[in-house]
């Protein structure tokens, strides 16, 4: 009976015909969600140097490091950098630097991409940080920003100690253009049902 079962050919088409309505749930239940991020990170050119500005505990550093030449993590919090160092201890191409985001400890035109993920809402003068982001990028370099969409949840802003209640998409595009970026775009990200915070936006520019 075992030989018979082993020689039976799986019918993937029939399986997915019945599982289509449940596939998203099944995939997450059996495999989790992290592999999607790993797949996207693998699309980044392997010769790139990336800067994670406001790197926090180093989650993005750990995800991108296996796929790039070097990744720099910048933060002004020694506690966050300590956590990032622990997370990335086995990754030889991660370099952590303590510094302010409006005066980055990074050389001019030395990075191929720069990330600002859930950072700008904490910054007193976002345009200065965007200008610094532009300064460290090589010609044609990519800027990626994820932050909060403008909202009216003042209690949330206070609880999270954020300076700004998110950003208007069109205004953020203007700020990127004024900082010297080209091809600036910004759009709202699809809501995540279980997320308790405000909606997010994704901005990119070169």
């Amino acid at each position: 009976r075992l030989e018979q079962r082993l020689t039976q050919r799986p019918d993937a088409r029939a399986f997915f015909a019945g599982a289509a309505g449940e596939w998203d749930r099944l995939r997450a239940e059996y495999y989790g969600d992290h592999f999607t991020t790993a797949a996207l990170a693998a699309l980044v050119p392997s010769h790139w140097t990336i800067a994670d500005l406001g790197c926090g505990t180093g989650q993005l550093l750990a995800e991108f490091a296996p796929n790039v030449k070097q990744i720099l993590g910048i933060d002004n919090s020694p506690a966050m950098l300590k956590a990032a160092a622990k997370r990335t201890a086995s990754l030889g191409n991660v370099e952590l630097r303590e510094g302010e985001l409006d005066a980055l400890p990074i050389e001019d035109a030395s990075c191929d991409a720069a990330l600002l993920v859930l950072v700008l809402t904490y910054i007193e003068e976002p345009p200065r940080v965007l200008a610094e982001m532009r300064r460290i990028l090589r010609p044609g370099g990519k800027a990626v920003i994820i932050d909060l969409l403008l909202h009216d949840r003042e209690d949330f802003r206070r609880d999270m100690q954020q300076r700004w209640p998110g950003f208007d998409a069109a205004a953020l595009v203007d700020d990127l253009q004024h900082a010297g970026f080209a091809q600036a775009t910004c759009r709202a990200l699809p809501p995540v049902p279980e997320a308790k915070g405000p909606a997010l936006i994704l901005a990119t520019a070169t």
Side-chain angles (χ1 to χ4, degrees):
R1 291 174 58 188
L2 177 59
E3 287 183 5
Q4 184 180 15
R5 289 296 300 274
L6 290 175
T7 57
Q8 289 177 349
R9 297 183 64 183
D11 189 345
R13 183 174 298 185
F15 169 75
F16 284 113
E22 293 291 318
W23 178 240
D24 288 349
R25 180 187 63 79
L26 288 171
R27 190 174 72 162
E29 181 179 329
Y30 291 138
Y31 311 118
D33 294 318
H34 293 300
F35 68 88
T36 302
T37 304
L40 295 175
L43 294 174
V44 176
S46 60
H47 64 275
W48 272 18
T49 294
I50 296 178
D52 184 8
L53 310 179
C55 65
T57 59
Q59 180 179 353
L60 290 177
L61 299 176
E63 290 174 348
F64 279 95
N67 303 288
V68 297
K69 178 182 177 181
Q70 184 182 32
I71 185 163
L72 308 174
I74 313 299
D75 210 289
N76 67 357
S77 167
M80 287 290 196
L81 289 173
K82 183 178 179 179
K86 182 177 180 180
R87 175 176 255 157
T88 61
S90 64
L91 301 170
N93 62 340
V94 174
E95 182 178 345
L96 301 175
R97 300 177 184 178
E98 183 176 348
E100 299 296 333
L101 299 190
D102 59 1
L104 291 170
I106 301 177
E107 298 77 13
D108 293 357
S110 59
C111 297
D112 300 286
L115 310 171
L116 275 170
V117 178
L118 301 180
V119 174
L120 276 186
T121 49
Y122 292 95
I123 300 299
E124 185 172 355
E125 297 184 60
R128 292 182 59 182
V129 173
L130 296 181
E132 278 290 275
M133 195 181 197
R134 170 66 182 85
R135 178 184 66 77
I136 68 170
L137 286 173
R138 296 188 176 105
K142 187 85 170 183
V144 177
I145 300 169
I146 294 179
D147 222 296
L148 278 62
L149 182 64
L150 187 64
H151 63 88
D152 59 1
R153 292 175 55 178
E154 181 62 17
D155 57 337
F156 179 88
R157 188 194 66 78
R158 288 197 304 267
D159 290 345
M160 296 297 290
Q161 296 293 300
Q162 294 169 337
R163 293 181 179 273
W164 303 100
F167 299 93
D168 175 77
L172 186 52
V173 167
D174 286 343
D175 286 343
L176 284 164
Q177 292 173 340
H178 290 152
F181 285 100
Q183 299 176 321
T185 66
C186 187
R187 61 181 175 87
L189 293 177
V192 178
E194 61 270 22
K196 297 180 181 179
L200 300 177
I201 52 175
L202 167 65
T204 63
T206 57

